[in-house]
Amino acid sequence: MTEQPHVLAGSPHDNVRPLHAAADRGGAPCDLEAEQAVLGSMMLAAEVIAEVQAALSAEDYYRPAHETIHRSITVLHGQGKPVDPITLTHYLGQAGDLGRVGGPAYVHGLVQAVPTTANAGYYAGIVHELAERRRLIQAGTRLVQAASTPDATADEVREALALGEEKLPEAWSEPIPLNARPQLPRFPLHAFPSWLGDFCAALAEETQTPPDMAAALALSVLATAAGGRVVVRVRGRWHEPTNLYVVVALPPANRKSAVFSAMTGPLYEAEQHLANQAAGRIVEAELTRKMAQEAADKAATRASSAECPQRDGFVAEAIDLAQHAEELTVPPKPRLLADDSTPETVTSLMAEQGGRLAVMSAEGGIFDIIAGRYSGAPNMEVFLKGHAGDRLKVDRRNREEFIEAPALTMGLAVQPSVLEDIGKNRGFDGRGLLARFLYALPESLVGYRKIGPAPVPETVAAHYERNVTALTLSFAEETEPYVLRLTPDAGAELLAFEERIEPQLRARGGKLGHVGKWAGKLVGTAARIAGLLHVAAHLEDGYGKPIEPSTMTAAIEIADYFADHALTVFDLMGADAAQARAQSLLEVLRANGWDTVSRRDLFAKLSRSEFPTVADMEPAVALLEEHGYLRSHTPPRTGKRGRPPAPRYLIHPQVREGQA
């Protein structure tokens, strides 16, 4: 009896036989069972993906559908996303490949073809070896055909023999430009409480600006109101304050000042209200201290002129009065906001205001000040500790300042060129200052703006101004922060977000790996945003309620928005070394005009200052491969012993011809 091949039920490729059956009828060497087992193992155990990738390439599969599935798995894995039948089916569907690979049933059925994931590397070896055999057969066939042609020259036969050592390249697609900026998402205004989202949308319409600008500044407004007075307990001893550093970048003529003024106006009104309330207390305290000091001075005068029998009593009285005068303090004028302030001034203001302050500006001059515009030396200590809430102590010649839990908020609207400039300051990145900002880089509407747009409805504006003022004043008199807790479901939402983000932080292959210092704070940032959304949604009693899962979901959506924008901003600031190196490598490929080149020969042409080792070249090569400028190819073995052939790179024709 003829042995029946093992195929998946419902497969559109049931007529394709595995190796043992294909050999009976003289077919190409293949083993579909091994191919299915490899793909199924990669879905069942993520830890075998690297082992499989080291053993074979996507081109080694006999069935084209398996090649497509393999490529999709590696893309998902490289993005730090889970790889299972559900996520893979969704990805293939979005790419338009699901029907071509056999549909959902075939993808789900692959996991059933796995005897054990422990043998994934062995299965991959089988697939690779059979692919090598097929290539040898193809090479031999070409050689026989060339040698059998009566009018073939010896050179043509030798060329056919050389072609046998290389896999014929597939058709090339148009390469994707390295400097192409991806389409960035718009700010999810629906994640805001309605009173806040409605005002941001209406203000964007009135000013004909991207809603992202108003929305990003809205977060800094909430952080000014609640920062230092509200803390989110994530779990255990992990607490997150609710102050934020937010910067939105737009080119000139985008009406940044108008939006900035409208968003921050209620904060200045609240600050003035607090100042008016405190004015009487300040005057009374100043007068009381002045009178106490005058009494102490008079007592000192009497003591200095008194005769010996009475002198000791007058001296004791003068000392008591002087100590009493010294103990009397004058409360500072309430301040919520600062703008063009030096780090020393910011520190002093924070110390006076109980540790909280906001630096709000429609320009980027604060970065120049931090870099040392006035002092000649960078001073960013208060900005580093003010974000994290770490204790800050400053000893000066004439005063000592100590802030137990500083809470500094920053809301800036700048030009994109400012981001490029600060990216060049190694001190900002090295100390981690840039990693503390949330970045928004919306698309400019200049040239496409509506003429005569509708103004912000009075009721919407009044609602926004009233709520921001009330929220700010409600927290202004508090000295101890409220601790917001998460409901179990909200905690589970944040934990799932953390599990999704963590693989993306890997230095090799992680989507956020090259911005790890920034992305490592993203989960905590989501918790901070959740706290702000919570108090904005519960203006009167938010401190007494836990954060709900819907609020956490909204905060995570906003955090994802900032993650997408941060990737582009850090590229703009030159944080992605692979991007710059890929551009250099592409210039070398253009200059040399290779059809194909070995890794060794390519490395020999590169600058050692930019590419000290071959390992430094690999991320740039991978990026060029992703963009379609080249393909990696390992020639087949010519024997079982010795080193395997060194990989070569096939170069896109447009690169060779100077068109890419």
Side-chain angles (χ1 to χ4, degrees), residues 560-626:
D560 281 332
Y561 162 87
F562 282 118
D564 287 334
H565 282 247
L567 286 172
T568 297
V569 169
F570 276 101
D571 285 347
L572 186 68
M573 293 190 294
D576 191 354
Q579 180 88 8
R581 287 176 173 172
Q583 192 66 52
S584 298
L585 196 152
L586 185 58
E587 291 172 3
V588 171
L589 295 178
R590 289 193 187 111
N592 286 274
W594 291 306
D595 294 328
T596 176
V597 62
S598 68
R599 181 165 57 183
R600 178 190 299 176
D601 291 341
L602 176 58
F603 181 66
K605 292 287 186 179
L606 301 176
S607 165
R608 289 297 164 271
S609 62
E610 191 170 12
F611 299 91
T613 67
V614 174
D616 296 308
M617 182 179 75
E618 296 304 325
V621 168
L623 190 58
L624 288 183
E625 190 165 10
E626 289 176 9

Side-chain angles (χ1 to χ4, degrees), residues 110-411:
L110 287 171
V111 298
Q112 306 300 323
V114 182
T116 172
T117 59
N119 293 340
Y122 179 75
Y123 306 142
I126 293 175
V127 174
H128 177 70
E129 182 178 351
L130 293 174
E132 296 292 273
R133 290 178 59 183
R134 292 196 299 274
R135 293 183 185 117
L136 290 173
I137 292 172
Q138 292 169 1
T141 301
R142 285 195 296 269
L143 180 59
V144 170
Q145 290 174 343
S148 301
T149 303
D151 55 351
T153 65
D155 287 339
E156 290 172 338
V157 174
R158 279 192 290 270
E159 183 180 356
L161 179 60
L163 282 173
E165 299 176 358
E166 298 282 351
K167 180 177 181 246
L168 292 177
E170 302 168 2
W172 291 92
S173 301
E174 189 74 16
I176 303 170
L178 279 174
N179 58 354
R181 179 177 294 181
Q183 185 71 34
L184 294 175
R186 293 186 176 182
F187 194 97
L189 284 180
H190 59 268
F192 278 168
S194 59
W195 65 268
L196 186 57
D198 289 348
F199 181 73
C200 290
L203 181 61
E205 173 66 19
E206 177 183 288
T207 57
Q208 287 297 287
T209 56
D212 310 54
M213 178 157 56
L217 293 174
L219 285 174
S220 62
V221 168
L222 294 178
T224 301
R229 300 299 182 264
V230 176
V231 174
V232 178
R233 180 183 180 275
V234 180
R235 57 177 176 268
R237 298 184 181 181
W238 181 4
H239 291 70
E240 287 287 345
T242 50
N243 55 303
L244 293 174
Y245 290 3
V246 183
V247 57
V248 56
L250 274 167
N254 267 281
R255 300 167 179 165
K256 292 190 290 290
S257 296
V259 175
F260 193 89
S261 177
M263 295 304 301
T264 59
L267 293 177
Y268 285 96
E269 291 181 10
E271 184 180 67
Q272 186 60 49
H273 179 83
L274 292 171
N276 293 338
Q277 279 187 328
R281 296 195 303 270
I282 293 173
V283 171
E284 181 181 353
E286 287 176 339
L287 182 59
T288 302
R289 184 173 183 179
K290 180 180 179 181
M291 293 172 62
Q293 188 62 53
E294 289 176 350
D297 292 342
K298 289 179 180 179
T301 301
R302 285 196 304 271
S304 65
S305 60
E307 298 295 331
C308 287
Q310 299 175 315
R311 185 183 181 86
D312 290 345
F314 283 136
V315 169
E317 180 186 8
I319 291 174
D320 287 342
L321 289 173
Q323 289 177 340
H324 174 66
E326 185 67 24
E327 291 171 355
L328 294 175
T329 59
V330 178
K333 181 181 179 179
R335 288 286 299 273
L336 295 173
L337 303 158
D339 186 353
D340 188 13
S341 302
T342 65
E344 292 76 17
T345 302
V346 170
T347 303
S348 297
L349 286 173
M350 290 178 67
E352 291 176 356
Q353 304 300 321
R356 67 188 304 221
L357 189 72
V359 175
M360 307 286 282
S361 176
E363 302 294 339
I366 187 65
F367 291 113
D368 290 335
I369 296 173
I370 297 172
R373 176 202 291 172
Y374 301 123
S375 63
N379 184 355
M380 60 188 76
E381 199 71 17
V382 65
F383 299 99
L384 297 176
K385 294 185 175 180
H387 181 273
D390 297 333
R391 292 184 183 92
L392 178 62
K393 186 173 183 179
V394 178
D395 293 312
R396 296 181 180 172
R397 185 172 300 174
N398 58 350
R399 67 182 301 180
E400 180 181 292
E401 294 171 333
F402 176 74
I403 308 174
E404 177 66 28
L408 181 63
T409 287
M410 297 182 74

Side-chain angles (χ1 to χ4, degrees), residues 380-568:
M380 60 188 76
E381 199 71 17
V382 65
F383 299 99
L384 297 176
K385 294 185 175 180
H387 181 273
D390 297 333
R391 292 184 183 92
L392 178 62
K393 186 173 183 179
V394 178
D395 293 312
R396 296 181 180 172
R397 185 172 300 174
N398 58 350
R399 67 182 301 180
E400 180 181 292
E401 294 171 333
F402 176 74
I403 308 174
E404 177 66 28
L408 181 63
T409 287
M410 297 182 74
L412 309 174
V414 304
Q415 296 181 21
S417 59
V418 173
L419 298 181
E420 295 182 38
D421 291 340
I422 64 176
K424 298 173 184 175
N425 190 315
R426 296 296 182 185
F428 285 176
D429 185 41
R431 295 291 303 278
L433 180 64
L434 301 183
R436 285 162 165 76
F437 280 91
L438 298 178
Y439 301 94
L441 193 65
E443 186 175 354
S444 172
L445 299 182
V446 173
Y448 300 91
R449 293 178 291 197
K450 185 188 301 182
I451 306 302
V456 177
E458 290 296 330
T459 54
V460 172
H463 202 188
Y464 170 76
E465 293 165 3
R466 182 173 62 251
N467 286 348
V468 170
T469 303
L471 189 66
T472 305
L473 296 178
S474 68
F475 289 119
E477 300 300 325
E478 301 297 330
T479 57
E480 294 296 325
Y482 293 109
V483 178
L484 299 179
R485 299 180 180 273
L486 310 180
T487 65
D489 288 343
E493 286 283 334
L494 188 62
L495 186 63
F497 180 58
E498 188 175 3
E499 291 173 345
R500 171 161 65 87
I501 291 297
E502 188 63 25
Q504 299 182 33
L505 303 179
R506 294 169 184 164
R508 297 182 64 87
K511 175 184 176 183
L512 302 171
H514 67 289
V515 293
K517 282 192 259 185
W518 182 91
K521 305 178 189 299
L522 191 56
V523 176
T525 297
R528 294 187 184 205
I529 294 173
L532 295 176
L533 296 182
H534 177 80
V535 297
H538 304 279
L539 294 168
E540 297 179 355
D541 58 353
Y543 54 85
K545 296 180 178 180
I547 297 175
E548 296 291 336
S550 58
T551 303
M552 184 59 71
T553 300
I556 290 171
E557 186 175 0
I558 294 174
D560 281 332
Y561 162 87
F562 282 118
D564 287 334
H565 282 247
L567 286 172
T568 297

